[in-house]
Amino acid sequence: MMLVVSRMSYVVCKGLKIALCLLLFLTTYHLRLTTNLRLTYDLYAQESSSSSELLDKAWAAHGKHDTEATLKYTQELIDLYKDKAESQQKYLKAMPKTKEEIEEVKELNDVATAYFIQAETLLRQEKLEEAKKLFQIIINQYPFAQGWDQRGWYWSLKLVSEQSIKKIETGDIEVEQKKKVSQISTKIVLYEPGTEDLVNYEKYGEFKGIGTKDYKYTIKDQEGLMAAIGEGIYPNTTSVRWDPEFKKALKEKRLDGEAWDFMHSPDLEAAFLKWATGSEPPGVRLFYTGLILEKAGLLKSALKCYYAIVVHYPGSYGWTYWHTPWYVGQAAVAKINYILSQNPQLGYKLQDADIRIINGYDNDVANDIPIVNPGKFVKLNLVEKIKPKPSIDSLNIKKISGKGKVHIVQYETGDWQLIVDGKPYMIKGITYAPTKIGQSPDDGTMTSWMDDDFNNNKKADGPYDTYVDQATKEAIGDFQLMKDMGVNTLRLYHHPNPVNKEVLRDMYNKYGIRVIMGDFLGKYALGSGAQWNPGTDYNDEEQKKNMLESVKSMVNEYKNEPYILFWLLGNENVYGYACNADTQPDAYFKFANEVAKAVKEIDPDHPVAICSGDILFLDKFGKDAPDVDIFGTNAYRGNYGFGRFWKSVKEEADRPAFITEYGCPAHADGKTDLEAEELQAEYHKGSWEDIENNSAFNSGAGNSIGGVVFEWLDEWWKAYEPSIHDTKSLWAGPFPDGYMHEEWLGLCGQGDGKDSPFLRQLRKAYYTYQKLWK
């Protein structure tokens, strides 16, 4: 999953998949030896198991509840590597941020994780005080240690240990789950709001090189521009310090701390003053200043702030949590378009604005070349807005991909559509993986929803027996609820769990819901035969053969099933968890292309898609995988949609595209449950409207064929303790409180868990889609 933030943040999740939880990416690191004692130690360690090997064995034993083996492997790890871990901790001044920095303190992370496993083992035995002592060791001696979650993030062992101690001391396992009331927000009253609503930059300077790599805006009348733009917006940044409210906030010490501490503060005034005078790079500073102005309802000032980025800092960038570049100028254009579309009373649109980053699909920003057109604000033409769509029958078809009842067409306009049974098909999809509370893949207790029958009525519980009324408990079933919502597609994988064809046939025949059937193509080492560490190697012929056979088996097994919509390869493999597509992108996409051709030889009736990670290595996909019909990607970019994604796919690959995974938690720190639900619904509404706006014959790129919501139901196991609905923040991103709460992604909740797996509490986002999709 990709996130839009501009500094590395750290998670407090202890959601580790035990059976597979090797610390990815961590390579053996040896400190430079300066004494014979250290030399002797390292020679001894080299003859013993590595810390990763021991940690792997410890997690595996812990997952099997083998206490003796768990303590044996963890203690051996601690004894062997404790000195090195303490040495690494000693020279650290702050939490390591980049993957490379984290890799350099491998032993520190492994030793602290070993203590954590021991403490968890003691908790199982209800030896609370002994567990508490081990958690305290982590806090005191290894505060910068991080664990690795195979789902794709590092987590702070210190923070999770502090939470565990808090639970032990309070005796209330749900102490952190208690309902939070909304905090009162302060208002922003600008000392200098600016003399123009939307600034005409041509009055104050000169544009050169528009639409080229030589773009530049030169200010000619700085004083006039400062007066027009208002306080806190470049170049009028120093005036904030003369604002009486700034001086007052300083005196009250409301500005103490880093700018990032204010990002989601209810004190909007202090947040604005802090960010407007902050030390972050100017493009990043302007973006978050604009975001705070937007939250405060000062939309015109927010628009001016975002547009100042486009004019002055179009090529600026920050870094996502995953340490991939986030291009601030592109996000600013998307923000402007979103605000204007949601607020037609403003009466403007931004015309022709575009920022293309050549070489912008990798993690190297040194070779980036921005091609910039700042565009212009023009009065909204209502006649143009209601312009009718062209008749499909009147358009010539430029290209057809596929021969069967499901195929892809591109019209002479360049727009794409998915055609099913002769009619355009917009994917209104959802990820469906209902899990009974208390179950988790981490300890091997998770069962398949297709076979679950906890009430012994010989029907699958989720599809047929769920209800929304706790009083009557009248069975409706998820399939009916999804049909009522407007869902027409589920995204499923044929492995690692078996598929119940009869359930899927019934889903299609009675409820009209089709299936995008996927193969992980080596992600999580599934299908490749590789070990979790180092993961799938896309240059290994044996592993490629295994993966190809896995895909062929899927296609042969399901190609004649009436519910199949198309085939999907991978799951954001370019992020590289237990596979190496991130370091072998050309090899990965070339192999995916080979697989796509093999699929079409077996089954010409259904297209082949890929599930990538946002637009990382999109240029390589376009070059290396011409036989993959559809580009799909997991993307989490915020409530304003997916920005330049659609246009980028059109430029680099010219394929139809869809969002294979997007969503937002229904929990936000500092918000009530109702407020958080509202924010979740707003996020989904903005996302779907962007998907629809970029579909054929609309105002966007014309290559969107839909999206898949993540997900139907909250999964309580995601943050490790499957019987607790954790509110832990897992990673930083563009969500209501700035963090992903992955146990709260469902459009439906499971209440307090007592009626699981049957109760469905439909959230506002469900009804939002019911309006959008019906």
Side-chain angles (χ1 to χ4, degrees), residues 10-17 116 146-151 153-157 159-161 163 321 442 717-721 726-731 740-743:
Y10 298 96
V11 299
V12 295
C13 167
K14 54 177 176 176
L16 297 170
K17 183 170 286 185
F116 180 81
Q146 297 173 75
W148 169 255
D149 189 305
Q150 64 85 27
R151 301 177 188 104
W153 51 76
Y154 290 99
W155 50 284
S156 168
L157 286 151
L159 289 176
V160 175
S161 296
Q163 291 176 346
Y321 170 80
D442 297 337
W717 60 270
K718 290 290 185 72
Y720 186 69
E721 294 166 311
D726 282 306
T727 58
K728 297 185 183 76
S729 52
L730 303 189
W731 34 264
M740 168 60 86
H741 303 275
E742 199 158 342
E743 292 197 359

Side-chain angles (χ1 to χ4, degrees), residues 133-351:
K133 290 178 182 178
L134 292 181
F135 286 130
Q136 198 64 53
I137 287 174
I138 296 170
I139 296 167
N140 295 340
Q141 298 182 25
Y142 309 105
F144 297 146
Q146 297 173 75
W148 169 255
D149 189 305
Q150 64 85 27
R151 301 177 188 104
W153 51 76
Y154 290 99
W155 50 284
S156 168
L157 286 151
K158 175 178 180 287
L159 289 176
V160 175
S161 296
E162 288 173 341
Q163 291 176 346
S164 297
I165 288 177
K166 184 177 181 181
K167 291 178 182 179
I168 292 171
E169 291 178 342
T170 60
D172 182 1
I173 199 68
E174 296 185 0
V175 67
E176 64 184 355
Q177 318 300 336
K178 290 183 178 178
K179 191 172 181 178
K180 300 173 183 179
V181 297
S182 180
Q183 302 176 54
I184 298 174
S185 300
T186 58
K187 294 183 178 180
I188 299 174
V189 180
L190 295 174
Y191 181 59
E192 292 183 1
T195 59
E196 296 182 26
D197 286 345
L198 294 173
V199 176
N200 180 1
Y201 277 86
E202 291 180 338
K203 288 169 53 178
Y204 308 105
E206 181 181 10
F207 289 100
K208 291 184 178 180
I210 289 177
T212 75
K213 63 181 179 62
D214 299 318
Y215 165 83
K216 186 178 182 182
Y217 176 74
T218 304
I219 300 173
K220 303 290 187 180
D221 179 6
Q222 181 154 326
E223 187 174 340
L225 180 57
M226 289 173 66
I229 204 80
E231 72 172 299
I233 305 173
Y234 183 84
N236 190 11
T237 53
T238 58
S239 65
V240 176
R241 299 185 182 278
W242 302 108
D243 187 331
E245 296 303 322
F246 177 77
K247 297 176 181 179
K248 179 182 176 183
L250 273 179
K251 185 176 181 180
E252 294 172 348
K253 298 188 180 301
R254 286 163 53 212
L255 303 184
D256 290 353
E258 296 183 19
W260 294 102
D261 299 332
F262 291 76
M263 194 59 255
H264 299 281
S265 169
D267 189 347
L268 294 175
E269 182 181 66
F272 166 73
L273 296 171
K274 187 70 177 181
W275 269 97
T277 57
S279 59
E280 293 293 327
V284 173
R285 184 171 69 244
L286 279 169
F287 186 87
Y288 286 105
T289 303
L291 189 62
I292 293 162
L293 290 167
E294 186 183 346
K295 285 182 180 180
L298 301 178
L299 298 183
K300 292 178 181 178
S301 292
L303 287 169
K304 289 192 286 186
C305 208
Y306 292 135
Y307 194 61
I309 301 169
V310 179
V311 172
H312 301 289
Y313 305 104
S316 58
Y317 60 87
W319 294 99
T320 70
Y321 170 80
W322 315 102
H323 205 67
T324 55
W326 165 55
Y327 292 105
V328 187
Q330 292 180 346
V333 172
K335 265 292 187 183
I336 292 168
N337 290 331
Y338 174 74
I339 292 174
L340 293 176
S341 69
Q342 297 296 311
N343 298 275
Q345 74 277 7
L346 295 174
Y348 283 91
K349 69 175 182 177
L350 181 59
Q351 184 171 284

Side-chain angles (χ1 to χ4, degrees), residues 118-133:
Q118 288 187 348
E120 287 288 311
T121 300
L122 292 170
L123 280 182
R124 283 180 177 175
Q125 299 172 326
E126 298 186 2
K127 297 178 179 179
L128 303 185
E129 288 304 314
E130 293 178 51
K132 182 177 173 182
K133 290 178 182 178

